[in-house]
Amino acid sequence: MNTIRLSELNAIKKTIQNKSSIELLNWVSENFSNQAYFATSLGVEDQIITDMIVQNDLNIKIFTLDTGRMFNESYDLLAQTELKYGIKIEIFNPESRDLEKLVIKDGINGFKKSIENRKRCCTVRKLNPLKRALSDANIWICGLRREQSVTREDMSCIEWDGLHAIPKLSPLIDWSEKDVWNYIKEHKVPYNKLHDKGFLSIGCASCTRAITKGEDIRAGRWWWEAPEHKECGLHSQK
Ligand code: SF4
């Protein structure tokens, strides 16, 4: 197969709708010769996908985005994951000139002043590096789950990413939080130590806080914004 066009997506959805997570990853590995890329944010869901890819020796490239504002614990986890699995996770950084211009224009913490500023920061630090990372990809894989936020509740396991003009596969889309933690414990998958301190969804250090019991999973991300705005843009292009 190697590539999928937008017009073929509905037929593909029917073909793969009953596959398990590992069956979906195997399907990708077998059908997208060397151009299937997995974008890991090092969150628990993504750590599970890394574990599945490595343990099953799948033909899927693993990369991450280093925004430059990550927690030390996230960098520690990146190093620990590479060591445990004996892999190299390719790292994509923001372009230095774009970053300099952003900071001159908005200030070092300008992302808190408005949603527009915040989206501009996410564009320079995340979206543009993602575009470079996916420039020759035919499909990308991510760890989204439907129950993570109101912006994700209508998603299916394969969606069209209009910005990159490729399909995006979410093999854990139906998993519950309990499913995730059961897998992490059962398979001894390394995870970010901040999860034990009340951080459920972990992004940049400056834009993530711990949450308290009863709060939504993503309440600690950009907590000063309304829930419907809480996407950095990585997963909102159709
Ligand atoms: S999460 Fe915050 S610091 Fe990170 S890229 Fe987005 S606005 Fe910038």
Side-chain angles (χ1 to χ4, degrees):
M1 178 188 304
N2 202 30
T3 58
I4 293 177
R5 289 194 295 271
L6 175 56
S7 58
E8 298 166 326
L9 197 69
N10 282 339
I12 295 286
K13 270 185 192 173
K14 283 189 188 142
T15 312
I16 65 174
Q17 65 185 354
N18 293 323
K19 288 186 186 294
S20 66
S21 305
I22 190 61
E23 285 169 346
L24 287 169
L25 290 171
N26 264 303
W27 171 77
V28 167
S29 175
E30 287 164 8
N31 286 286
F32 293 87
S33 50
N34 301 319
Q35 285 177 294
Y37 294 177
F38 166 47
T40 176
S41 67
L42 305 166
V44 272
E45 292 84 2
D46 290 347
Q47 289 298 97
I48 290 171
I49 296 174
T50 295
D51 186 80
M52 288 178 171
I53 290 172
V54 178
Q55 302 297 0
N56 293 281
D57 200 20
L58 300 181
N59 185 15
I60 297 172
K61 180 172 118 178
I62 306 174
F63 73 89
T64 193
L65 308 176
D66 177 4
T67 64
R69 303 285 303 230
M70 289 162 64
F71 287 97
N72 282 339
E73 288 86 346
S74 301
Y75 292 113
D76 288 344
L77 179 62
L78 176 55
Q80 187 191 356
T81 304
E82 288 187 328
L83 191 64
K84 173 182 166 80
Y85 294 110
I87 57 170
K88 271 280 167 217
I89 295 174
E90 193 170 350
I91 299 172
F92 287 83
N93 299 99
E95 296 283 6
S96 55
R97 191 63 198 122
D98 291 349
L99 205 47
E100 286 164 7
K101 281 190 201 161
L102 175 81
V103 172
I104 288 168
K105 181 173 168 26
D106 292 343
I108 194 68
N109 285 334
F111 46 81
K112 283 199 175 164
K113 290 182 194 155
S114 67
I115 291 174
E116 290 69 32
N117 278 20
R118 201 269 291 162
K119 288 191 171 170
R120 201 156 39 236
C121 184
C122 285
T123 296
V124 169
R125 293 181 186 273
K126 296 181 179 177
L127 270 61
N128 292 350
L130 179 71
K131 204 170 182 178
R132 277 192 290 119
L134 294 178
S135 59
D136 62 346
N138 283 346
I139 188 166
W140 71 293
I141 297 151
C142 55
L144 298 185
R145 289 189 299 111
R146 209 172 277 124
E147 70 169 32
Q148 280 169 329
S149 81
V150 289
T151 57
R152 298 177 181 178
E153 58 194 17
D154 295 327
M155 291 185 70
S156 61
C157 76
I158 192 161
E159 299 268 345
W160 188 254
D161 178 340
L163 188 62
H164 304 102
I166 52 174
K168 178 174 71 174
L169 185 90
S170 307
L172 307 188
I173 195 76
D174 293 322
W175 286 40
S176 66
E177 198 185 335
K178 192 169 171 219
D179 295 332
V180 168
W181 285 101
N182 283 346
Y183 186 101
I184 292 280
K185 285 181 186 139
E186 191 180 326
H187 295 262
K188 298 189 171 42
V189 175
Y191 66 89
N192 197 319
K193 295 302 165 233
L194 289 172
H195 286 304
D196 296 333
K197 297 179 182 170
F199 291 78
L200 288 197
S201 173
I202 301 171
C204 292
S206 40
C207 299
T208 307
R209 66 158 170 78
I211 63 170
T212 51
K213 204 169 176 196
E215 278 191 299
D216 181 76
I217 296 173
R218 282 173 66 83
R221 304 289 297 278
W222 309 294
W223 61 93
W224 59 92
E225 293 180 7
E228 62 270 25
H229 296 303
K230 288 189 181 200
E231 290 289 354
C232 57
L234 291 181
H235 299 295
S236 48
Q237 301 93 15
K238 292 206 173 164

